[in-house]
Amino acid sequence: MSVTIKKIAKDLDLAVSTVSKALRDSHEISAETKARVFEHAAKLDYIPNPYASSLKKGRSGNIAVVLPEVADSFFSAAINGIDSVAHEKGYHTMVYLTHEDIQREQSIVREFRNGRVDGVLMSIVANNAKYEHLRELCASDVPLVFFDRVCEEIPTASVITNDFESGYIAAQHLIEKGCKYIVFLSMPGELAIIKHRQNGYQQALQDHGMQPCIIYCTDSEDENIAILDKLLTGENKPDGIIGSIEKITIPVYTVCHSRNIPIPSAIKIIAFSHLQIAALLNPPLTTIAQPAFEMGKAAATILFKTLAKKYDLKDEKIVIPSVLMMRASTHTD
Amino acid sequence: MSVTIKKIAKDLDLAVSTVSKALRDSHEISAETKARVFEHAAKLDYIPNPYASSLKKGRSGNIAVVLPEVADSFFSAAINGIDSVAHEKGYHTMVYLTHEDIQREQSIVREFRNGRVDGVLMSIVANNAKYEHLRELCASDVPLVFFDRVCEEIPTASVITNDFESGYIAAQHLIEKGCKYIVFLSMPGELAIIKHRQNGYQQALQDHGMQPCIIYCTDSEDENIAILDKLLTGENKPDGIIGSIEKITIPVYTVCHSRNIPIPSAIKIIAFSHLQIAALLNPPLTTIAQPAFEMGKAAATILFKTLAKKYDLKDEKIVIPSVLMMRASTHTD
């Protein structure tokens, strides 16, 4: 490569160091000189790409965060946790959204294998059992750390919360508040976090001699409203609801409000949610709040330790506990 | 460059087309062959980077979205609007967060000038009057489209909402509901959207012979709670509040709840917010809702028209109106 730089320098009658700096987009070099260098480099088919030098150094200066969505207070807080570490390390954080679409996830992840990013932090899409793209990434030189929505079949580091225990605690809280028929609002698919929460709920009900009931919601708010409307106005109404993901909260409250079902006297509600605004809802919502910022921060910290070659990612599994925030939606009258 | 590819092909006894495909990470080539090609290319100092070929084609396949934060329902919905267009065009959307920090914004934007991305969609940081990095980007070959938080001094396309008119409508709504002393909660700095909303508010008050009062909030929720606590428990209490940005909503409600100030009987509240959960707050919050998804979609549409060389960005300014959503926080008793 230096042959090309020497040639550019000779052709343009510039010092090699000047050309090199210009190609690295150094602020020491004037815009005019840079323009001449870039133009001539293009003629010689030399790629004046900031990635080129960063690749040689083995560093792009970027980490990627791959998420299903950002319209979720958990993920937006987790990004801030990740970015707080990345910024300190002099890296940029690029966020990619999969919109719960496995094809988008595959396409995004396959971009990462050749040095576009130095590391990847990821929460996988729901409702999917295809992991080949994750295996490929894991087998490449680009380190991968899962947070929250992990793929348990891929041997790499992960940062999770205590989902089984939290599901148990949520159910136990409703049982203690006198609920006799507690429904768990789940999502179809393979997502480990939902399964663990659901298993915790089932265990709690079993320990109290109660019958579990799982209702599956969808990605569509309208469909969820229809499902919940049927549930809450039908013959066999629950007196307790556990929402396993944040996006189910709005449909539950919307149906209770529109059908004049009083919370908490007719039904008590607890949701897995990091929503800061939960305390201002009518009534304030009891939540199992995941430590979103801390999980993001921990995941980024592991990644940067790996980038500094101090870590074997396979060995690393961090569990940060969630917190039950009791509010009026589960009060006893 | 083809000289190097030929050399790799010769050295490894492979066809030139095989090497070329391997370097482009084609799925037609086996992992083993790719590994051999990449390894040998590295020895020859040849950069097997997907950016290389995309740069030659003049396309990275990425657009960047630069935003202050994602923990804001406007921005998260706008990203979805942008991504809906980008996905259709076969592009990936990379989101970068500035966290309202001008140095991060400068550092992120300066990365874009050499082909890392094909185009940039941007909402600028508040509280800043330094635009040199934006001028540089605008002067480069990378097209830039502003949405929502535009920099009016940079001659490029923008997608905005009718902020002056919305500020006027918000104030007029409170005046019609009988408010006599309406405070506008503003943010310090140069942000055009806040200025326009504020000017609209001032015009409405002037048209009704009323005295405007502007209170400046900060980026800190704790500081905002302190500011609002002082305002709402002091001698001269307002009976109407306009929150100029979404993040002021939680502090206003928090102080009213903690001080037992009844909404809307003692104070009526209207906020510029795209919060879907506004209808479930206690009481439901009247909002001026920006068309976030549509604004993102429009901004991305302009950008892709430019990438197809059909557009002069300077001429383009799209205004999509906001919508007043009347709810209980501004009802008359």
Side-chain angles (χ1 to χ4, degrees):
Chain A
M1 182 185 306
S2 58
V3 175
T4 316
I5 291 181
K6 277 180 197 157
K7 180 159 171 49
I8 295 170
K10 196 181 157 212
D11 290 354
L12 299 182
D13 199 18
L14 292 167
V16 168
S17 61
T18 305
V19 173
S20 175
K21 279 180 189 166
L23 290 170
R24 274 184 283 117
D25 197 24
S26 162
H27 292 289
E28 295 173 46
I29 308 299
S30 74
E32 294 90 311
T33 305
K34 277 186 210 169
R36 283 178 63 211
V37 170
F38 275 57
E39 200 186 333
H40 195 67
K43 271 189 209 156
L44 298 176
D45 246 358
Y46 181 88
I47 303 126
N49 185 330
Y51 282 91
S53 57
S54 58
L55 261 184
K56 277 201 82 179
K57 283 183 289 178
R59 182 179 183 282
S60 70
N62 288 303
I63 60 166
V65 182
V66 185
L67 301 169
E69 55 179 329
V70 284
D72 178 298
S73 63
F74 171 81
F75 289 124
S76 56
I79 292 170
N80 290 344
I82 291 165
D83 220 4
S84 72
V85 178
H87 182 60
E88 199 183 283
K89 301 284 181 185
Y91 275 71
H92 286 140
T93 306
M94 311 189 311
V95 181
Y96 290 81
L97 302 182
T98 58
H99 301 278
E100 302 285 14
D101 176 346
I102 180 64
Q103 288 181 336
R104 287 208 203 188
E105 185 181 282
Q106 289 168 337
S107 157
I108 289 164
V109 166
R110 291 207 159 112
E111 270 206 9
F112 295 150
R113 288 176 302 169
N114 290 315
R116 168 163 293 194
V117 296
D118 293 342
V120 178
L121 297 162
M122 188 162 179
S123 263
I124 63 171
V125 299
N127 212 351
N128 168 58
K130 297 191 194 105
Y131 307 130
E132 198 48 38
H133 58 300
L134 302 175
R135 280 201 191 90
E136 286 168 11
L137 183 64
C138 201
S140 77
D141 282 342
V142 182
L144 168 66
V145 176
F146 291 114
F147 67 100
D148 192 47
R149 296 183 175 193
V150 309
C151 176
E152 293 178 333
E153 311 197 4
I154 304 291
T156 191
S158 59
V159 177
I160 55 173
T161 184
N162 53 345
D163 287 300
F164 177 89
E165 195 184 342
S166 298
Y168 194 99
I169 288 169
Q172 198 174 37
H173 177 67
L174 290 179
I175 293 166
E176 281 167 6
K177 294 296 180 177
C179 293
K180 302 291 177 208
Y181 174 32
I182 302 167
V183 164
F184 184 89
L185 299 179
S186 187
M187 293 290 281
E190 299 292 320
L191 219 51
I193 55 168
I194 306 274
K195 278 189 190 168
H196 295 322
R197 290 170 188 172
Q198 190 170 310
N199 291 342
Y201 152 83
Q202 286 175 315
Q203 185 66 51
L205 265 63
Q206 196 181 312
D207 288 354
H208 290 82
M210 292 167 72
Q211 186 62 36
C213 172
I214 292 157
I215 302 273
Y216 289 94
C217 293
T218 77
D219 272 337
S220 150
E221 187 166 316
D222 288 346
E223 283 174 21
N224 289 339
I225 285 178
I227 290 165
L228 290 162
D229 197 73
K230 198 172 156 195
L231 175 71
L232 298 178
T233 60
E235 287 264 307
N236 193 13
K237 296 178 194 64
D239 59 1
I241 276 189
I242 300 172
S244 65
I245 60 168
E246 183 172 296
K247 71 160 64 163
I248 299 175
T249 307
I250 290 183
V252 174
Y253 265 62
T254 302
V255 171
C256 288
H257 284 200
S258 69
R259 294 291 190 174
N260 291 313
I261 300 166
I263 312 167
S265 60
I267 191 162
K268 300 192 198 316
I269 299 170
I270 183 166
F272 282 82
S273 167
H274 190 264
L275 268 180
Q276 214 193 346
I277 217 163
L280 302 175
L281 295 183
N282 183 21
L285 172 67
T286 294
T287 56
I288 298 276
Q290 300 158 285
F293 186 89
E294 291 72 19
M295 286 170 74
K297 209 171 153 178
T301 302
I302 297 177
L303 184 69
F304 283 107
K305 281 189 182 170
T306 309
L307 292 177
K309 310 249 185 274
K310 286 181 197 152
Y311 250 64
D312 180 3
L313 283 178
K314 285 187 202 65
D315 299 335
E316 200 67 17
K317 185 168 189 171
I318 294 182
V319 181
I320 307 180
S322 291
V323 180
L324 173 66
M325 308 282 279
M326 277 180 258
R327 298 198 186 92
S329 72
T330 57
H331 282 183
T332 43
D333 293 319
Chain B
M1 181 185 306
S2 59
V3 174
T4 315
I5 291 180
K6 277 181 196 156
K7 181 160 170 50
I8 296 170
K10 196 181 157 210
D11 291 354
L12 299 181
D13 199 19
L14 291 168
V16 168
S17 61
T18 305
V19 173
S20 176
K21 279 180 190 167
L23 290 170
R24 273 184 283 117
D25 197 24
S26 162
H27 292 287
E28 296 172 46
I29 309 300
S30 74
E32 295 92 309
T33 305
K34 278 186 210 169
R36 283 178 64 210
V37 170
F38 276 55
E39 200 186 333
H40 196 66
K43 272 188 207 155
L44 298 176
D45 246 356
Y46 180 88
I47 303 126
N49 186 330
Y51 282 92
S53 56
S54 58
L55 259 184
K56 278 202 82 179
K57 284 183 289 177
R59 182 178 183 281
S60 71
N62 288 302
I63 60 166
V65 182
V66 185
L67 302 170
E69 54 178 330
V70 284
D72 177 297
S73 63
F74 172 80
F75 289 124
S76 57
I79 292 171
N80 290 344
I82 291 165
D83 220 5
S84 72
V85 178
H87 182 61
E88 199 183 283
K89 300 284 182 185
Y91 276 71
H92 286 139
T93 305
M94 310 189 312
V95 181
Y96 290 81
L97 302 182
T98 58
H99 301 278
E100 302 285 14
D101 176 347
I102 179 65
Q103 287 180 337
R104 286 209 204 187
E105 185 181 282
Q106 288 167 337
S107 157
I108 289 164
V109 166
R110 292 207 158 111
E111 270 207 9
F112 295 150
R113 288 176 302 168
N114 290 315
R116 168 163 294 195
V117 296
D118 293 342
V120 178
L121 297 162
M122 188 164 180
S123 264
I124 63 172
V125 300
N127 213 351
N128 167 60
K130 296 190 194 107
Y131 307 130
E132 198 47 38
H133 59 299
L134 302 176
R135 280 202 192 89
E136 285 168 11
L137 183 63
C138 201
S140 78
D141 282 340
V142 182
L144 168 66
V145 176
F146 291 115
F147 67 100
D148 192 46
R149 295 184 175 194
V150 309
C151 176
E152 294 178 334
E153 309 197 6
I154 304 292
T156 191
S158 60
V159 177
I160 55 172
T161 184
N162 54 345
D163 288 301
F164 177 90
E165 196 184 342
S166 298
Y168 194 100
I169 289 170
Q172 198 174 35
H173 177 67
L174 290 179
I175 293 166
E176 281 168 6
K177 294 295 181 179
C179 294
K180 303 291 177 208
Y181 174 32
I182 301 166
V183 164
F184 184 90
L185 300 180
S186 187
M187 292 289 283
E190 300 292 319
L191 219 50
I193 56 168
I194 306 275
K195 278 190 190 168
H196 295 321
R197 290 170 188 175
Q198 190 170 311
N199 291 343
Y201 152 83
Q202 286 175 315
Q203 186 65 51
L205 265 64
Q206 197 181 311
D207 289 353
H208 289 81
M210 293 167 71
Q211 187 62 38
C213 172
I214 292 157
I215 303 273
Y216 288 94
C217 294
T218 77
D219 273 335
S220 151
E221 186 165 318
D222 288 346
E223 283 174 22
N224 289 338
I225 285 179
I227 290 164
L228 288 162
D229 197 73
K230 199 173 156 196
L231 175 72
L232 297 178
T233 60
E235 287 264 309
N236 193 14
K237 297 177 192 65
D239 58 2
I241 277 189
I242 299 172
S244 66
I245 61 168
E246 183 172 297
K247 72 159 66 163
I248 300 175
T249 306
I250 290 182
V252 173
Y253 265 62
T254 301
V255 170
C256 287
H257 285 200
S258 69
R259 293 292 189 173
N260 290 314
I261 301 166
I263 311 167
S265 60
I267 191 162
K268 300 191 199 315
I269 299 170
I270 183 167
F272 281 82
S273 167
H274 190 265
L275 269 180
Q276 215 194 347
I277 217 163
L280 303 175
L281 295 182
N282 183 21
L285 172 66
T286 295
T287 56
I288 298 276
Q290 300 157 283
F293 186 89
E294 292 72 20
M295 286 170 73
K297 209 172 154 178
T301 302
I302 298 177
L303 184 69
F304 283 106
K305 281 188 182 171
T306 308
L307 291 176
K309 309 247 186 277
K310 287 181 198 152
Y311 251 64
D312 180 3
L313 283 178
K314 284 188 203 67
D315 298 334
E316 201 66 18
K317 186 168 189 172
I318 294 182
V319 181
I320 307 179
S322 292
V323 179
L324 174 66
M325 308 282 278
M326 278 180 258
R327 298 197 187 92
S329 72
T330 58
H331 281 184
T332 44
D333 294 319

